[in-house]
Amino acid sequence: MEASENLWIATAVALAVGIVVGIVLAQVSRRVSGGSNASAQAQLESLQLRFEEYQQEVSTHFKTTATLASRLNRSYQDIQEHLTHGALELAPDDMTRQRLLAALDQQDGTVRDNSSRQAPAFDSLEPPRDYAPKEANGPGTLSEDFGVKRKS
């Protein structure tokens, strides 16, 4: 019986030692993973902050670009108005004045009334097609004979 008691005691001691070692390893694992988790969290927050700063910089860039483009457009309009006014006031005769205004209209690309500008009409423009239009009785673009010229 004594051997059986020693076996039970050894098993109980081994079980107790295993539990103690498991608890110690769990504590060490929590401390190690807690440190890396905090490190990962700090890195994530740093990346989030950098991303927000980048978004702010992009937004500022496009706002500045829009402001500068608007200012450039206004300057261009001011120059065109100055040239038109100069052509109207400084041209020695009506024929020279009409030629100067026609040249300004040609450069501007718009139809000019003496007091205001009108943008070109885009209603008549058609978007580009990604296919060739079919003629009334001709072959379609998928036909084997499309675009083939036969000698007669």
Side-chain angles (χ1 to χ4, degrees):
M1 277 242 211
E2 206 173 289
S4 142
E5 286 178 11
N6 286 339
L7 182 61
W8 281 106
I9 292 174
T11 304
V13 169
L15 182 62
V17 169
I19 290 173
V20 169
V21 169
I23 291 173
V24 168
L25 286 176
Q27 292 295 327
V28 169
S29 173
R30 278 192 202 135
R31 287 185 185 155
V32 169
S33 68
S36 67
N37 191 15
S39 165
Q41 185 68 24
Q43 186 178 11
L44 179 64
E45 289 173 2
S46 171
L47 287 173
Q48 183 70 26
L49 181 63
R50 284 179 34 204
F51 178 69
E52 289 172 0
E53 288 173 356
Y54 174 74
Q55 284 181 323
Q56 186 65 32
E57 288 175 10
V58 168
S59 176
T60 302
H61 167 76
F62 282 115
K63 285 179 184 176
T64 304
T65 302
T67 302
L68 292 173
S70 175
R71 191 181 313 157
L72 179 66
N73 190 24
R74 279 193 308 267
S75 295
Y76 177 74
Q77 289 173 351
D78 290 344
I79 290 171
Q80 286 293 356
E81 288 174 7
H82 175 72
L83 290 173
T84 302
H85 179 71
L88 291 173
E89 296 293 320
L90 302 175
D93 59 2
D94 192 41
M95 186 154 97
T96 305
R97 184 177 304 121
Q98 293 302 323
R99 280 191 285 158
L100 288 172
L101 290 174
L104 287 174
D105 284 341
Q106 207 172 37
Q107 287 177 349
D108 192 18
T110 59
V111 177
R112 184 185 312 274
D113 192 11
N114 284 342
S115 60
S116 66
R117 288 195 194 112
Q118 298 173 353
F122 291 111
D123 296 337
S124 63
L125 297 178
E126 187 177 327
R129 296 181 179 155
D130 59 349
Y131 61 90
K134 182 180 176 186
E135 296 175 7
N137 292 325
T141 56
L142 298 178
S143 172
E144 291 180 2
D145 297 333
F146 182 76
V148 177
K149 295 182 181 174
R150 301 204 183 258
K151 294 180 183 178
S152 301

